[in-house]
PDB file of all heavy atoms in Angstrom:
ATOM      1  N   LYS L 254      75.417 144.306 156.361  1.00  0.00           N
ATOM      2  CA  LYS L 254      75.024 144.121 157.762  1.00  0.00           C
ATOM      3  C   LYS L 254      74.732 142.647 158.055  1.00  0.00           C
ATOM      4  O   LYS L 254      75.089 142.129 159.122  1.00  0.00           O
ATOM      5  CB  LYS L 254      73.802 144.974 158.080  1.00  0.00           C
ATOM      6  CG  LYS L 254      74.073 146.479 158.026  1.00  0.00           C
ATOM      7  CD  LYS L 254      72.792 147.288 158.160  1.00  0.00           C
ATOM      8  CE  LYS L 254      73.065 148.785 157.970  1.00  0.00           C
ATOM      9  NZ  LYS L 254      71.820 149.586 158.008  1.00  0.00           N
ATOM     10  N   LYS L 255      74.086 141.961 157.099  1.00  0.00           N
ATOM     11  CA  LYS L 255      73.785 140.547 157.289  1.00  0.00           C
ATOM     12  C   LYS L 255      75.068 139.711 157.340  1.00  0.00           C
ATOM     13  O   LYS L 255      75.192 138.798 158.160  1.00  0.00           O
ATOM     14  CB  LYS L 255      72.874 140.049 156.162  1.00  0.00           C
ATOM     15  CG  LYS L 255      71.463 140.614 156.205  1.00  0.00           C
ATOM     16  CD  LYS L 255      70.639 140.121 155.030  1.00  0.00           C
ATOM     17  CE  LYS L 255      69.236 140.730 155.044  1.00  0.00           C
ATOM     18  NZ  LYS L 255      68.443 140.297 153.872  1.00  0.00           N
ATOM     19  N   GLU L 256      76.031 140.037 156.453  1.00  0.00           N
ATOM     20  CA  GLU L 256      77.298 139.301 156.454  1.00  0.00           C
ATOM     21  C   GLU L 256      78.063 139.537 157.749  1.00  0.00           C
ATOM     22  O   GLU L 256      78.680 138.618 158.297  1.00  0.00           O
ATOM     23  CB  GLU L 256      78.151 139.727 155.244  1.00  0.00           C
ATOM     24  CG  GLU L 256      77.668 139.188 153.912  1.00  0.00           C
ATOM     25  CD  GLU L 256      77.718 137.681 153.860  1.00  0.00           C
ATOM     26  OE1 GLU L 256      78.733 137.103 154.303  1.00  0.00           O
ATOM     27  OE2 GLU L 256      76.738 137.075 153.401  1.00  0.00           O
ATOM     28  N   LEU L 257      78.044 140.776 158.237  1.00  0.00           N
ATOM     29  CA  LEU L 257      78.708 141.074 159.512  1.00  0.00           C
ATOM     30  C   LEU L 257      78.064 140.307 160.656  1.00  0.00           C
ATOM     31  O   LEU L 257      78.757 139.818 161.564  1.00  0.00           O
ATOM     32  CB  LEU L 257      78.663 142.582 159.790  1.00  0.00           C
ATOM     33  CG  LEU L 257      79.564 143.469 158.926  1.00  0.00           C
ATOM     34  CD1 LEU L 257      79.278 144.938 159.187  1.00  0.00           C
ATOM     35  CD2 LEU L 257      81.033 143.161 159.195  1.00  0.00           C
ATOM     36  N   MET L 258      76.728 140.178 160.627  1.00  0.00           N
ATOM     37  CA  MET L 258      76.020 139.445 161.680  1.00  0.00           C
ATOM     38  C   MET L 258      76.441 137.981 161.690  1.00  0.00           C
ATOM     39  O   MET L 258      76.518 137.364 162.761  1.00  0.00           O
ATOM     40  CB  MET L 258      74.512 139.566 161.485  1.00  0.00           C
ATOM     41  CG  MET L 258      73.944 140.942 161.811  1.00  0.00           C
ATOM     42  SD  MET L 258      72.148 141.042 161.570  1.00  0.00           S
ATOM     43  CE  MET L 258      71.575 139.868 162.807  1.00  0.00           C
ATOM     44  N   ARG L 259      76.722 137.437 160.519  1.00  0.00           N
ATOM     45  CA  ARG L 259      77.162 136.040 160.446  1.00  0.00           C
ATOM     46  C   ARG L 259      78.471 135.830 161.179  1.00  0.00           C
ATOM     47  O   ARG L 259      78.780 134.728 161.638  1.00  0.00           O
ATOM     48  CB  ARG L 259      77.317 135.608 158.985  1.00  0.00           C
ATOM     49  CG  ARG L 259      76.001 135.460 158.237  1.00  0.00           C
ATOM     50  CD  ARG L 259      76.244 135.088 156.791  1.00  0.00           C
ATOM     51  NE  ARG L 259      77.058 133.889 156.680  1.00  0.00           N
ATOM     52  CZ  ARG L 259      77.586 133.455 155.543  1.00  0.00           C
ATOM     53  NH1 ARG L 259      77.366 134.133 154.426  1.00  0.00           N
ATOM     54  NH2 ARG L 259      78.316 132.364 155.512  1.00  0.00           N
ATOM     55  N   HIS L 260      79.267 136.916 161.276  1.00  0.00           N
ATOM     56  CA  HIS L 260      80.557 136.848 161.974  1.00  0.00           C
ATOM     57  C   HIS L 260      80.478 137.451 163.376  1.00  0.00           C
ATOM     58  O   HIS L 260      81.507 137.754 163.984  1.00  0.00           O
ATOM     59  CB  HIS L 260      81.622 137.569 161.152  1.00  0.00           C
ATOM     60  CG  HIS L 260      81.889 136.923 159.828  1.00  0.00           C
ATOM     61  ND1 HIS L 260      82.726 135.831 159.677  1.00  0.00           N
ATOM     62  CD2 HIS L 260      81.418 137.198 158.579  1.00  0.00           C
ATOM     63  CE1 HIS L 260      82.762 135.475 158.406  1.00  0.00           C
ATOM     64  NE2 HIS L 260      81.982 136.284 157.719  1.00  0.00           N
ATOM     65  N   GLY L 261      79.265 137.642 163.864  1.00  0.00           N
ATOM     66  CA  GLY L 261      79.098 138.118 165.219  1.00  0.00           C
ATOM     67  C   GLY L 261      79.235 139.608 165.408  1.00  0.00           C
ATOM     68  O   GLY L 261      79.331 140.090 166.544  1.00  0.00           O
ATOM     69  N   VAL L 262      79.247 140.381 164.306  1.00  0.00           N
ATOM     70  CA  VAL L 262      79.352 141.841 164.391  1.00  0.00           C
ATOM     71  C   VAL L 262      77.978 142.427 164.077  1.00  0.00           C
ATOM     72  O   VAL L 262      77.513 142.370 162.936  1.00  0.00           O
ATOM     73  CB  VAL L 262      80.410 142.393 163.413  1.00  0.00           C
ATOM     74  CG1 VAL L 262      80.503 143.914 163.535  1.00  0.00           C
ATOM     75  CG2 VAL L 262      81.767 141.766 163.682  1.00  0.00           C
ATOM     76  N   ILE L 263      77.320 142.986 165.102  1.00  0.00           N
ATOM     77  CA  ILE L 263      75.961 143.514 164.944  1.00  0.00           C
ATOM     78  C   ILE L 263      76.001 145.034 165.034  1.00  0.00           C
ATOM     79  O   ILE L 263      76.523 145.600 165.996  1.00  0.00           O
ATOM     80  CB  ILE L 263      75.027 142.941 166.026  1.00  0.00           C
ATOM     81  CG1 ILE L 263      75.055 141.403 165.962  1.00  0.00           C
ATOM     82  CG2 ILE L 263      73.606 143.456 165.841  1.00  0.00           C
ATOM     83  CD1 ILE L 263      74.265 140.744 167.067  1.00  0.00           C
ATOM     84  N   SER L 264      75.448 145.697 164.008  1.00  0.00           N
ATOM     85  CA  SER L 264      75.479 147.153 163.966  1.00  0.00           C
ATOM     86  C   SER L 264      74.562 147.744 165.026  1.00  0.00           C
ATOM     87  O   SER L 264      73.622 147.099 165.497  1.00  0.00           O
ATOM     88  CB  SER L 264      75.078 147.651 162.582  1.00  0.00           C
ATOM     89  OG  SER L 264      73.698 147.422 162.358  1.00  0.00           O
ATOM     90  N   ASP L 265      74.846 149.010 165.397  1.00  0.00           N
ATOM     91  CA  ASP L 265      74.042 149.680 166.418  1.00  0.00           C
ATOM     92  C   ASP L 265      72.601 149.868 165.960  1.00  0.00           C
ATOM     93  O   ASP L 265      71.679 149.932 166.784  1.00  0.00           O
ATOM     94  CB  ASP L 265      74.668 151.026 166.792  1.00  0.00           C
ATOM     95  CG  ASP L 265      74.890 151.916 165.574  1.00  0.00           C
ATOM     96  OD1 ASP L 265      74.794 151.408 164.439  1.00  0.00           O
ATOM     97  OD2 ASP L 265      75.159 153.118 165.758  1.00  0.00           O
TER      98      ASP L 265
END
Side-chain angles (χ1 to χ4, degrees):
K254 294 172 185 176
K255 291 178 182 178
E256 286 297 316
L257 288 172
M258 288 180 64
R259 289 178 55 190
H260 296 278
V262 181
I263 304 175
S264 70
D265 55 347

